[in-house]
Amino acid sequence: MPENAQPVFLNYLKGTLALAHNGNITNAEEIRGNLTEQGATFRGTTDSEIIAYRIAMERLSASSIEDAVIGVSKTLKGGYALLSDAAF
């Protein structure tokens, strides 16, 4: 599926986020469900897109992209590595 290709690009209120991820987020379906209830729509089925959405949402109230990533990382369960680039 092309929708699952990385990096994931996401345009949001504060700018654009590109994210690549490797690993397994064991609570990804729970997070996806919460985001869907809040109005998020997903193009693909990857954990990467879920993480990107969470970072974008966290960035709306965080003082920096780094703070947003730190905040989101505290909610992710599992083992993973992230590479991100943001323009804001």
Side-chain angles (χ1 to χ4, degrees):
M1 287 178 73
E3 299 86 18
N4 289 338
Q6 291 191 45
V8 171
F9 291 93
L10 185 65
N11 293 311
Y12 69 110
L13 186 62
K14 295 257 183 168
T16 302
L17 174 70
L19 181 128
H21 147 264
N22 186 29
N24 186 32
I25 306 302
T26 58
N27 62 333
E29 286 306 311
E30 176 186 347
I31 295 170
R32 178 186 287 271
N34 292 338
L35 290 169
T36 301
E37 287 175 7
Q38 296 174 28
T41 56
F42 295 91
R43 294 181 301 165
T45 59
T46 66
D47 294 357
S48 302
E49 191 174 12
I50 294 168
I51 297 166
Y53 264 102
R54 281 289 299 120
I55 291 171
M57 291 183 74
E58 184 80 14
R59 177 63 181 103
L60 296 177
S61 61
S63 61
S64 68
I65 191 70
E66 294 84 4
D67 287 343
V69 171
I70 290 167
V72 170
S73 68
K74 294 176 183 178
T75 68
L76 302 175
K77 296 179 183 175
Y80 58 92
L82 300 175
L83 177 63
S84 178
D85 185 28
F88 43 88

